[in-house]
């Protein structure tokens, strides 16, 4: 049995207000995406990493790898037009008949903790599907179609993170379905089969870096 992680990095940096895609921006002295890849090798040196990047970004990524002398092992494949298609492209890189687990992780979440990754893989080994979540700390308000609203119990909700980890065979089966707009993450694809997805504790630092403010938080985390 082998464990895999598909790291999906297809951002264009529009919310970042930068010409450089967000996954390539430096945090500390290293691009975000390199930190993300390194974190999974810290968890397991033998894990099989599949990096999904838009084809038009791959030449620049190679330049960065040369510049930063980044030589960690991974398999590279092309991104798709949607997150669904990018994840599916990553799954197609896993050899037929392979047994084990596959995580799918956002390339711009470099601060996922080793313990969060371990909880996801350990739980998925027993349950076939596991995702990391965090409690909601802000007050939540439901807005109806008429523009009215009411507060809802935040204890009924969780913030979902990645990696989302699945049995390889289950993930393959799930991603054979047609894309639907309700697929907001990879777990929702698996749940479309009627499967239950276990929740484990994530970590607060596991932020998704998408805005200039997120970059400031990331720099502060590096300096801690």
């Amino acid at each position: 049995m082998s464990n895999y992680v598909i790291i999906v990095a297809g951002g264009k940096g529009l919310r970042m207000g930068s010409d450089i895609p967000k996954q390539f921006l430096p945090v500390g002295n290293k691009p975000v995406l390199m930190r993300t890849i390194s974190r999974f090798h810290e968890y397991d040196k033998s894990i099989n990493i599949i990096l999904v990047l838009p084809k038009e970004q791959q030449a620049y990524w190679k330049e960065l790898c040369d510049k930063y002398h980044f030589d960690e092992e991974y398999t590279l494949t092309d991104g798709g037009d949607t997150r669904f298609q990018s994840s599916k492209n990553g799954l197609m890189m896993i050899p037929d008949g392979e047994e084990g687990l596959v995580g799918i992780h956002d390339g711009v979440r470099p601060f996922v903790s080793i313990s969060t990754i371990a909880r996801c893989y350990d739980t998925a080994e027993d349950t076939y599907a596991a995702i990391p979540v965090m409690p909601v700390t802000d007050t939540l308000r439901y807005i109806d179609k008429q523009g009215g609203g009411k507060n809802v119990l935040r204890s009924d909700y969780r913030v979902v993170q990645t990696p989302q980890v699945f049995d390889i065979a289950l993930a393959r089966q799930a991603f054979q379905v047609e894309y639907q707009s309700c697929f907001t993450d990879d777990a929702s694809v698996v749940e479309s089969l009627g499967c239950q997805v276990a929740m484990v504790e994530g970590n607060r630092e596991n932020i998704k870096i998408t805005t200039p403010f997120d970059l400031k938080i990331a720099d502060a985390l590096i300096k801690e």
Side-chain angles (χ1 to χ4, degrees):
M1 296 180 66
S2 301
N3 285 345
Y4 289 78
V5 62
I6 298 167
I7 296 178
V8 182
K12 295 180 172 62
L14 298 180
R15 279 179 286 179
M16 197 66 76
S18 170
D19 293 333
I20 301 175
K22 56 194 176 185
Q23 58 267 22
F24 301 145
L25 293 172
V27 170
N29 59 352
K30 187 186 294 186
V32 170
L33 185 54
M34 292 182 187
R35 291 189 177 278
T36 304
I37 292 172
S38 296
R39 182 53 56 95
F40 279 87
H41 276 145
E42 289 173 34
Y43 160 68
D44 179 1
K45 292 185 182 301
S46 65
I47 197 168
N48 298 285
I49 294 179
I50 299 170
L51 175 60
V52 183
L53 268 182
K55 196 165 188 176
E56 64 272 16
Q57 296 180 6
Q58 292 177 14
Y60 182 66
W61 168 246
K62 185 178 184 304
E63 290 177 15
L64 285 177
C65 289
D66 291 341
K67 176 181 177 181
Y68 288 87
H69 307 290
F70 186 76
D71 58 1
E72 297 197 27
E73 292 188 7
Y74 59 87
T75 300
L76 180 64
T77 192
D78 297 343
D81 293 333
T82 62
R83 169 58 177 261
F84 174 87
Q85 188 60 54
S86 291
S87 296
K88 187 173 183 177
N89 289 357
L91 283 168
M92 291 173 64
M93 300 303 292
I94 300 176
D96 291 340
E98 189 77 278
E99 296 182 350
L101 301 172
V102 56
I104 306 179
H105 187 68
D106 298 319
V108 290
R109 287 187 189 267
F111 299 113
V112 59
S113 69
I114 303 299
S115 56
T116 292
I117 298 172
R119 281 192 292 271
C120 291
Y121 278 87
D122 291 347
T123 301
E125 192 170 356
D126 294 327
T127 65
Y128 294 93
I131 61 173
V133 300
M134 291 296 295
V136 176
T137 56
D138 293 329
T139 296
L140 290 179
R141 191 166 181 81
Y142 168 77
I143 306 299
D144 60 32
K145 293 180 180 179
Q146 289 72 43
K150 62 178 182 179
N151 286 6
V152 295
L153 284 175
R154 61 189 174 196
S155 59
D156 288 343
Y157 298 89
R158 295 292 183 270
V159 176
V160 179
Q161 302 178 335
T162 65
Q164 301 185 354
V165 183
F166 313 103
D167 173 79
I168 290 174
L170 174 62
R172 285 189 194 278
Q173 181 184 358
F175 277 86
Q176 293 307 308
V177 303
E178 291 294 324
Y179 171 75
Q180 301 176 44
S181 59
C182 62
F183 293 160
T184 55
D185 64 357
D186 303 291
S188 59
V189 181
V190 171
E191 287 177 323
S192 72
L193 297 180
C195 299
Q196 291 290 318
V197 175
M199 292 181 289
V200 303
E201 182 184 358
N203 63 288
R204 186 66 65 190
E205 302 83 6
N206 188 15
I207 61 171
K208 188 175 182 180
I209 301 175
T210 57
T211 68
F213 181 70
D214 297 333
L215 267 182
K216 292 181 179 180
I217 295 175
D219 282 330
L221 289 172
I222 289 293
K223 294 172 183 175
E224 283 187 346

